[in-house]
Amino acid sequence: FTQRVAQNRVPKGMSKEGFECIQYITRNVNVPLQTTDVAKHIGRSRSWLSARFKQELELDPSTYIMQCKLKAARALLVHSDRSLSEISTYLCFSSQSYFQTVFKKQFGITPKQYRDQNRKTR
């Protein structure tokens, strides 16, 4: 219960709306999600949301969305037996190839290499 309360507390220096956006993105990594969807969720414009993200997180919303999807992908690679194709589909990447390219660019290894490395240590 304490962890859940802490997860719902707005971090210092962040607006309530910014925090709501982060929570919305985190809860929706497995649906096609764009900056406009997040802005609509809080009743603001896309440009307002982009400016707020840059101010509070020093990155744009689409980058944050991708970071969340890749974080979820890492967890699925280690803690599930889903195929790369299933993971890329579940996280709404346009293709498995694109998923692999983005993953490798971010982490320096392919999703399969990541899975193999992290499963050996479990």
Side-chain angles (χ1 to χ4, degrees), residues 13-40:
M14 179 173 281
S15 68
K16 185 178 177 187
E17 290 157 319
F19 185 64
E20 175 61 27
C21 291
I22 288 170
Q23 288 187 316
Y24 180 74
I25 292 167
T26 303
R27 286 189 309 260
N28 290 286
V29 292
N30 65 326
V31 296
L33 193 59
Q34 297 180 347
T35 302
T36 53
D37 301 317
V38 179
K40 242 185 249 182

PDB file of all heavy atoms in Angstrom, residues 13-40:
ATOM      1  N   GLY A  13       9.051  19.372  -7.951  1.00  0.00           N
ATOM      2  CA  GLY A  13       9.431  20.100  -9.158  1.00  0.00           C
ATOM      3  C   GLY A  13       8.628  19.731 -10.399  1.00  0.00           C
ATOM      4  O   GLY A  13       8.901  20.221 -11.479  1.00  0.00           O
ATOM      5  N   MET A  14       7.641  18.858 -10.248  1.00  0.00           N
ATOM      6  CA  MET A  14       6.830  18.453 -11.395  1.00  0.00           C
ATOM      7  C   MET A  14       5.390  18.894 -11.180  1.00  0.00           C
ATOM      8  O   MET A  14       4.869  18.806 -10.067  1.00  0.00           O
ATOM      9  CB  MET A  14       6.895  16.940 -11.574  1.00  0.00           C
ATOM     10  CG  MET A  14       6.056  16.444 -12.745  1.00  0.00           C
ATOM     11  SD  MET A  14       6.310  14.694 -13.057  1.00  0.00           S
ATOM     12  CE  MET A  14       7.849  14.786 -13.945  1.00  0.00           C
ATOM     13  N   SER A  15       4.771  19.352 -12.251  1.00  0.00           N
ATOM     14  CA  SER A  15       3.372  19.754 -12.151  1.00  0.00           C
ATOM     15  C   SER A  15       2.474  18.523 -12.036  1.00  0.00           C
ATOM     16  O   SER A  15       2.850  17.424 -12.440  1.00  0.00           O
ATOM     17  CB  SER A  15       2.971  20.557 -13.390  1.00  0.00           C
ATOM     18  OG  SER A  15       2.968  19.717 -14.543  1.00  0.00           O
ATOM     19  N   LYS A  16       1.281  18.751 -11.500  1.00  0.00           N
ATOM     20  CA  LYS A  16       0.307  17.669 -11.397  1.00  0.00           C
ATOM     21  C   LYS A  16      -0.046  17.143 -12.788  1.00  0.00           C
ATOM     22  O   LYS A  16      -0.162  15.943 -12.996  1.00  0.00           O
ATOM     23  CB  LYS A  16      -0.947  18.168 -10.678  1.00  0.00           C
ATOM     24  CG  LYS A  16      -1.963  17.091 -10.423  1.00  0.00           C
ATOM     25  CD  LYS A  16      -3.171  17.609  -9.680  1.00  0.00           C
ATOM     26  CE  LYS A  16      -4.156  16.479  -9.527  1.00  0.00           C
ATOM     27  NZ  LYS A  16      -5.417  16.888  -8.973  1.00  0.00           N
ATOM     28  N   GLU A  17      -0.178  18.049 -13.762  1.00  0.00           N
ATOM     29  CA  GLU A  17      -0.506  17.637 -15.129  1.00  0.00           C
ATOM     30  C   GLU A  17       0.620  16.823 -15.758  1.00  0.00           C
ATOM     31  O   GLU A  17       0.382  15.837 -16.443  1.00  0.00           O
ATOM     32  CB  GLU A  17      -0.815  18.864 -15.991  1.00  0.00           C
ATOM     33  CG  GLU A  17      -2.115  19.524 -15.597  1.00  0.00           C
ATOM     34  CD  GLU A  17      -2.169  20.980 -16.019  1.00  0.00           C
ATOM     35  OE1 GLU A  17      -1.134  21.671 -15.882  1.00  0.00           O
ATOM     36  OE2 GLU A  17      -3.231  21.420 -16.467  1.00  0.00           O
ATOM     37  N   GLY A  18       1.862  17.248 -15.515  1.00  0.00           N
ATOM     38  CA  GLY A  18       3.008  16.502 -16.034  1.00  0.00           C
ATOM     39  C   GLY A  18       3.056  15.098 -15.466  1.00  0.00           C
ATOM     40  O   GLY A  18       3.288  14.118 -16.183  1.00  0.00           O
ATOM     41  N   PHE A  19       2.798  14.983 -14.171  1.00  0.00           N
ATOM     42  CA  PHE A  19       2.784  13.685 -13.511  1.00  0.00           C
ATOM     43  C   PHE A  19       1.656  12.818 -14.054  1.00  0.00           C
ATOM     44  O   PHE A  19       1.827  11.617 -14.278  1.00  0.00           O
ATOM     45  CB  PHE A  19       2.672  13.864 -12.000  1.00  0.00           C
ATOM     46  CG  PHE A  19       2.760  12.580 -11.233  1.00  0.00           C
ATOM     47  CD1 PHE A  19       3.924  11.831 -11.249  1.00  0.00           C
ATOM     48  CD2 PHE A  19       1.685  12.136 -10.485  1.00  0.00           C
ATOM     49  CE1 PHE A  19       4.014  10.639 -10.530  1.00  0.00           C
ATOM     50  CE2 PHE A  19       1.770  10.954  -9.762  1.00  0.00           C
ATOM     51  CZ  PHE A  19       2.929  10.202  -9.792  1.00  0.00           C
ATOM     52  N   GLU A  20       0.501  13.414 -14.277  1.00  0.00           N
ATOM     53  CA  GLU A  20      -0.639  12.679 -14.834  1.00  0.00           C
ATOM     54  C   GLU A  20      -0.289  12.137 -16.219  1.00  0.00           C
ATOM     55  O   GLU A  20      -0.648  11.012 -16.568  1.00  0.00           O
ATOM     56  CB  GLU A  20      -1.877  13.573 -14.904  1.00  0.00           C
ATOM     57  CG  GLU A  20      -3.072  12.946 -15.581  1.00  0.00           C
ATOM     58  CD  GLU A  20      -3.609  11.687 -14.919  1.00  0.00           C
ATOM     59  OE1 GLU A  20      -3.449  11.520 -13.703  1.00  0.00           O
ATOM     60  OE2 GLU A  20      -4.195  10.855 -15.637  1.00  0.00           O
ATOM     61  N   CYS A  21       0.435  12.919 -17.003  1.00  0.00           N
ATOM     62  CA  CYS A  21       0.859  12.465 -18.333  1.00  0.00           C
ATOM     63  C   CYS A  21       1.787  11.259 -18.226  1.00  0.00           C
ATOM     64  O   CYS A  21       1.644  10.281 -18.961  1.00  0.00           O
ATOM     65  CB  CYS A  21       1.586  13.584 -19.081  1.00  0.00           C
ATOM     66  SG  CYS A  21       0.522  14.939 -19.562  1.00  0.00           S
ATOM     67  N   ILE A  22       2.726  11.337 -17.310  1.00  0.00           N
ATOM     68  CA  ILE A  22       3.667  10.238 -17.114  1.00  0.00           C
ATOM     69  C   ILE A  22       2.924   8.964 -16.710  1.00  0.00           C
ATOM     70  O   ILE A  22       3.184   7.887 -17.230  1.00  0.00           O
ATOM     71  CB  ILE A  22       4.730  10.623 -16.066  1.00  0.00           C
ATOM     72  CG1 ILE A  22       5.673  11.653 -16.671  1.00  0.00           C
ATOM     73  CG2 ILE A  22       5.497   9.408 -15.563  1.00  0.00           C
ATOM     74  CD1 ILE A  22       6.602  12.290 -15.671  1.00  0.00           C
ATOM     75  N   GLN A  23       1.995   9.093 -15.795  1.00  0.00           N
ATOM     76  CA  GLN A  23       1.212   7.926 -15.374  1.00  0.00           C
ATOM     77  C   GLN A  23       0.391   7.365 -16.536  1.00  0.00           C
ATOM     78  O   GLN A  23       0.310   6.153 -16.720  1.00  0.00           O
ATOM     79  CB  GLN A  23       0.300   8.284 -14.210  1.00  0.00           C
ATOM     80  CG  GLN A  23       1.047   8.484 -12.918  1.00  0.00           C
ATOM     81  CD  GLN A  23       0.091   8.675 -11.747  1.00  0.00           C
ATOM     82  OE1 GLN A  23      -0.880   9.410 -11.854  1.00  0.00           O
ATOM     83  NE2 GLN A  23       0.377   8.007 -10.662  1.00  0.00           N
ATOM     84  N   TYR A  24      -0.210   8.254 -17.312  1.00  0.00           N
ATOM     85  CA  TYR A  24      -1.026   7.822 -18.456  1.00  0.00           C
ATOM     86  C   TYR A  24      -0.168   7.059 -19.468  1.00  0.00           C
ATOM     87  O   TYR A  24      -0.565   6.001 -19.957  1.00  0.00           O
ATOM     88  CB  TYR A  24      -1.676   9.050 -19.102  1.00  0.00           C
ATOM     89  CG  TYR A  24      -2.542   8.724 -20.286  1.00  0.00           C
ATOM     90  CD1 TYR A  24      -3.796   8.136 -20.114  1.00  0.00           C
ATOM     91  CD2 TYR A  24      -2.130   9.010 -21.579  1.00  0.00           C
ATOM     92  CE1 TYR A  24      -4.608   7.837 -21.198  1.00  0.00           C
ATOM     93  CE2 TYR A  24      -2.921   8.725 -22.669  1.00  0.00           C
ATOM     94  CZ  TYR A  24      -4.163   8.136 -22.474  1.00  0.00           C
ATOM     95  OH  TYR A  24      -4.952   7.833 -23.548  1.00  0.00           O
ATOM     96  N   ILE A  25       0.991   7.583 -19.768  1.00  0.00           N
ATOM     97  CA  ILE A  25       1.898   6.929 -20.720  1.00  0.00           C
ATOM     98  C   ILE A  25       2.311   5.564 -20.183  1.00  0.00           C
ATOM     99  O   ILE A  25       2.263   4.560 -20.892  1.00  0.00           O
ATOM    100  CB  ILE A  25       3.130   7.814 -21.007  1.00  0.00           C
ATOM    101  CG1 ILE A  25       2.706   9.062 -21.792  1.00  0.00           C
ATOM    102  CG2 ILE A  25       4.200   7.028 -21.772  1.00  0.00           C
ATOM    103  CD1 ILE A  25       3.763  10.152 -21.854  1.00  0.00           C
ATOM    104  N   THR A  26       2.702   5.512 -18.934  1.00  0.00           N
ATOM    105  CA  THR A  26       3.159   4.265 -18.323  1.00  0.00           C
ATOM    106  C   THR A  26       2.068   3.195 -18.337  1.00  0.00           C
ATOM    107  O   THR A  26       2.340   2.025 -18.604  1.00  0.00           O
ATOM    108  CB  THR A  26       3.621   4.520 -16.867  1.00  0.00           C
ATOM    109  OG1 THR A  26       4.640   5.514 -16.885  1.00  0.00           O
ATOM    110  CG2 THR A  26       4.160   3.264 -16.230  1.00  0.00           C
ATOM    111  N   ARG A  27       0.834   3.607 -18.095  1.00  0.00           N
ATOM    112  CA  ARG A  27      -0.285   2.653 -18.086  1.00  0.00           C
ATOM    113  C   ARG A  27      -0.708   2.219 -19.490  1.00  0.00           C
ATOM    114  O   ARG A  27      -1.458   1.252 -19.633  1.00  0.00           O
ATOM    115  CB  ARG A  27      -1.495   3.275 -17.389  1.00  0.00           C
ATOM    116  CG  ARG A  27      -1.375   3.379 -15.897  1.00  0.00           C
ATOM    117  CD  ARG A  27      -2.697   3.789 -15.255  1.00  0.00           C
ATOM    118  NE  ARG A  27      -3.300   4.963 -15.854  1.00  0.00           N
ATOM    119  CZ  ARG A  27      -3.228   6.200 -15.358  1.00  0.00           C
ATOM    120  NH1 ARG A  27      -2.568   6.431 -14.251  1.00  0.00           N
ATOM    121  NH2 ARG A  27      -3.817   7.203 -15.969  1.00  0.00           N
ATOM    122  N   ASN A  28      -0.259   2.949 -20.508  1.00  0.00           N
ATOM    123  CA  ASN A  28      -0.731   2.673 -21.869  1.00  0.00           C
ATOM    124  C   ASN A  28       0.383   2.357 -22.859  1.00  0.00           C
ATOM    125  O   ASN A  28       0.254   2.650 -24.040  1.00  0.00           O
ATOM    126  CB  ASN A  28      -1.548   3.872 -22.367  1.00  0.00           C
ATOM    127  CG  ASN A  28      -2.865   3.983 -21.648  1.00  0.00           C
ATOM    128  OD1 ASN A  28      -3.780   3.211 -21.893  1.00  0.00           O
ATOM    129  ND2 ASN A  28      -2.954   4.924 -20.731  1.00  0.00           N
ATOM    130  N   VAL A  29       1.456   1.720 -22.400  1.00  0.00           N
ATOM    131  CA  VAL A  29       2.557   1.397 -23.313  1.00  0.00           C
ATOM    132  C   VAL A  29       2.151   0.370 -24.354  1.00  0.00           C
ATOM    133  O   VAL A  29       2.794   0.259 -25.395  1.00  0.00           O
ATOM    134  CB  VAL A  29       3.828   0.895 -22.573  1.00  0.00           C
ATOM    135  CG1 VAL A  29       4.457   1.983 -21.761  1.00  0.00           C
ATOM    136  CG2 VAL A  29       3.562  -0.346 -21.769  1.00  0.00           C
ATOM    137  N   ASN A  30       1.081  -0.352 -24.107  1.00  0.00           N
ATOM    138  CA  ASN A  30       0.670  -1.401 -25.036  1.00  0.00           C
ATOM    139  C   ASN A  30      -0.480  -0.979 -25.956  1.00  0.00           C
ATOM    140  O   ASN A  30      -1.171  -1.825 -26.500  1.00  0.00           O
ATOM    141  CB  ASN A  30       0.301  -2.675 -24.275  1.00  0.00           C
ATOM    142  CG  ASN A  30      -0.909  -2.490 -23.392  1.00  0.00           C
ATOM    143  OD1 ASN A  30      -1.123  -1.420 -22.839  1.00  0.00           O
ATOM    144  ND2 ASN A  30      -1.703  -3.532 -23.254  1.00  0.00           N
ATOM    145  N   VAL A  31      -0.661   0.308 -26.115  1.00  0.00           N
ATOM    146  CA  VAL A  31      -1.625   0.805 -27.097  1.00  0.00           C
ATOM    147  C   VAL A  31      -0.911   1.818 -27.996  1.00  0.00           C
ATOM    148  O   VAL A  31       0.067   2.428 -27.581  1.00  0.00           O
ATOM    149  CB  VAL A  31      -2.860   1.470 -26.433  1.00  0.00           C
ATOM    150  CG1 VAL A  31      -3.651   0.473 -25.620  1.00  0.00           C
ATOM    151  CG2 VAL A  31      -2.472   2.651 -25.597  1.00  0.00           C
ATOM    152  N   PRO A  32      -1.398   1.991 -29.225  1.00  0.00           N
ATOM    153  CA  PRO A  32      -0.774   3.021 -30.072  1.00  0.00           C
ATOM    154  C   PRO A  32      -0.963   4.378 -29.390  1.00  0.00           C
ATOM    155  O   PRO A  32      -2.087   4.784 -29.121  1.00  0.00           O
ATOM    156  CB  PRO A  32      -1.564   2.950 -31.377  1.00  0.00           C
ATOM    157  CG  PRO A  32      -2.276   1.632 -31.340  1.00  0.00           C
ATOM    158  CD  PRO A  32      -2.472   1.294 -29.899  1.00  0.00           C
ATOM    159  N   LEU A  33       0.121   5.024 -29.059  1.00  0.00           N
ATOM    160  CA  LEU A  33       0.044   6.242 -28.263  1.00  0.00           C
ATOM    161  C   LEU A  33       0.900   7.325 -28.896  1.00  0.00           C
ATOM    162  O   LEU A  33       2.066   7.111 -29.194  1.00  0.00           O
ATOM    163  CB  LEU A  33       0.549   5.928 -26.847  1.00  0.00           C
ATOM    164  CG  LEU A  33       0.287   6.937 -25.746  1.00  0.00           C
ATOM    165  CD1 LEU A  33      -1.208   7.192 -25.572  1.00  0.00           C
ATOM    166  CD2 LEU A  33       0.881   6.436 -24.441  1.00  0.00           C
ATOM    167  N   GLN A  34       0.293   8.476 -29.100  1.00  0.00           N
ATOM    168  CA  GLN A  34       1.002   9.630 -29.662  1.00  0.00           C
ATOM    169  C   GLN A  34       0.869  10.806 -28.708  1.00  0.00           C
ATOM    170  O   GLN A  34       0.022  10.805 -27.811  1.00  0.00           O
ATOM    171  CB  GLN A  34       0.437   9.979 -31.034  1.00  0.00           C
ATOM    172  CG  GLN A  34       0.629   8.877 -32.050  1.00  0.00           C
ATOM    173  CD  GLN A  34       0.063   9.248 -33.406  1.00  0.00           C
ATOM    174  OE1 GLN A  34      -0.681  10.219 -33.544  1.00  0.00           O
ATOM    175  NE2 GLN A  34       0.406   8.481 -34.413  1.00  0.00           N
ATOM    176  N   THR A  35       1.687  11.803 -28.943  1.00  0.00           N
ATOM    177  CA  THR A  35       1.670  13.002 -28.113  1.00  0.00           C
ATOM    178  C   THR A  35       0.278  13.613 -28.046  1.00  0.00           C
ATOM    179  O   THR A  35      -0.175  14.037 -26.987  1.00  0.00           O
ATOM    180  CB  THR A  35       2.690  14.033 -28.650  1.00  0.00           C
ATOM    181  OG1 THR A  35       3.980  13.408 -28.663  1.00  0.00           O
ATOM    182  CG2 THR A  35       2.751  15.257 -27.782  1.00  0.00           C
ATOM    183  N   THR A  36      -0.423  13.631 -29.164  1.00  0.00           N
ATOM    184  CA  THR A  36      -1.771  14.216 -29.180  1.00  0.00           C
ATOM    185  C   THR A  36      -2.737  13.448 -28.272  1.00  0.00           C
ATOM    186  O   THR A  36      -3.609  14.060 -27.653  1.00  0.00           O
ATOM    187  CB  THR A  36      -2.345  14.267 -30.612  1.00  0.00           C
ATOM    188  OG1 THR A  36      -2.256  12.963 -31.198  1.00  0.00           O
ATOM    189  CG2 THR A  36      -1.605  15.267 -31.476  1.00  0.00           C
ATOM    190  N   ASP A  37      -2.566  12.139 -28.170  1.00  0.00           N
ATOM    191  CA  ASP A  37      -3.414  11.329 -27.284  1.00  0.00           C
ATOM    192  C   ASP A  37      -3.194  11.719 -25.827  1.00  0.00           C
ATOM    193  O   ASP A  37      -4.145  11.833 -25.049  1.00  0.00           O
ATOM    194  CB  ASP A  37      -3.116   9.838 -27.446  1.00  0.00           C
ATOM    195  CG  ASP A  37      -3.329   9.344 -28.858  1.00  0.00           C
ATOM    196  OD1 ASP A  37      -4.344   9.734 -29.480  1.00  0.00           O
ATOM    197  OD2 ASP A  37      -2.485   8.565 -29.340  1.00  0.00           O
ATOM    198  N   VAL A  38      -1.938  11.920 -25.462  1.00  0.00           N
ATOM    199  CA  VAL A  38      -1.595  12.288 -24.092  1.00  0.00           C
ATOM    200  C   VAL A  38      -2.137  13.684 -23.785  1.00  0.00           C
ATOM    201  O   VAL A  38      -2.719  13.920 -22.727  1.00  0.00           O
ATOM    202  CB  VAL A  38      -0.076  12.212 -23.855  1.00  0.00           C
ATOM    203  CG1 VAL A  38       0.280  12.613 -22.428  1.00  0.00           C
ATOM    204  CG2 VAL A  38       0.458  10.811 -24.169  1.00  0.00           C
ATOM    205  N   ALA A  39      -1.962  14.603 -24.728  1.00  0.00           N
ATOM    206  CA  ALA A  39      -2.460  15.972 -24.547  1.00  0.00           C
ATOM    207  C   ALA A  39      -3.980  15.973 -24.376  1.00  0.00           C
ATOM    208  O   ALA A  39      -4.511  16.664 -23.495  1.00  0.00           O
ATOM    209  CB  ALA A  39      -2.051  16.836 -25.736  1.00  0.00           C
ATOM    210  N   LYS A  40      -4.669  15.186 -25.182  1.00  0.00           N
ATOM    211  CA  LYS A  40      -6.121  15.088 -25.082  1.00  0.00           C
ATOM    212  C   LYS A  40      -6.543  14.561 -23.718  1.00  0.00           C
ATOM    213  O   LYS A  40      -7.525  15.018 -23.142  1.00  0.00           O
ATOM    214  CB  LYS A  40      -6.644  14.132 -26.161  1.00  0.00           C
ATOM    215  CG  LYS A  40      -7.562  14.776 -27.156  1.00  0.00           C
ATOM    216  CD  LYS A  40      -8.125  13.744 -28.093  1.00  0.00           C
ATOM    217  CE  LYS A  40      -7.520  13.990 -29.452  1.00  0.00           C
ATOM    218  NZ  LYS A  40      -8.020  13.083 -30.486  1.00  0.00           N
TER     219      LYS A  40
END
